[in-house]
Amino acid sequence: KATCPKCKHKCCNVVRKVSILDAPGHHELIATMLSGAALVDACIFVVAADQQLDMNSAGMLHIRCAQAAGLLKSGRLVVVQNKIDLRTVQQCAEHSYQIHDAL
């Protein structure tokens, strides 16, 4: 058992260490985003249901970076829609298809 960093007791089994990287889509940070994407084992791609994915959007930039890092071919990408309360079920489904087509 591993030692808890807070209470210092041997109380938990460490199954996997997880690091979370937030990769903003700013053009100035593309090199940093690509180098970070190359190091990860998996990726959670969060897409706002109220934002369209066009070829110049930050979301598409993230998809291209994940693709360059090999995350799309290996099945190591999970896509999640948030802000679904701002759209109807039909609109969320259509947005899901749009995301799928982009991938």
Side-chain angles (χ1 to χ4, degrees):
K1 292 193 175 204
T3 302
C4 175
K6 290 189 177 193
C7 69
K8 306 297 183 208
H9 288 95
K10 293 186 183 282
C11 60
C12 52
N13 291 324
V14 177
V15 176
R16 179 173 297 169
K17 292 183 179 181
V18 176
S19 297
I20 298 178
L21 307 171
D22 182 11
H26 306 295
H27 291 285
E28 301 85 25
L29 300 174
I30 291 174
T32 304
M33 187 186 330
L34 281 171
S35 63
L39 299 173
V40 301
D41 294 324
C43 179
I44 300 173
F45 180 56
V46 180
V47 183
D50 62 339
Q51 289 184 332
Q52 294 301 314
L53 284 178
D54 61 47
M55 293 311 288
N56 297 318
S57 68
M60 285 304 294
L61 176 62
H62 284 95
I63 289 173
R64 289 192 294 272
C65 288
Q67 188 174 28
L71 293 170
L72 300 186
K73 287 183 180 177
S74 62
R76 299 181 297 160
L77 176 71
V78 175
V79 180
V80 178
Q81 277 193 86
N82 68 347
K83 300 185 182 180
I84 60 172
D85 56 320
L86 301 177
R87 297 287 185 233
T88 65
V89 172
Q90 181 63 32
Q91 288 172 321
C92 289
E94 289 171 6
H95 193 243
S96 175
Y97 294 131
Q98 180 189 15
I99 295 165
H100 183 269
D101 290 344
L103 297 173

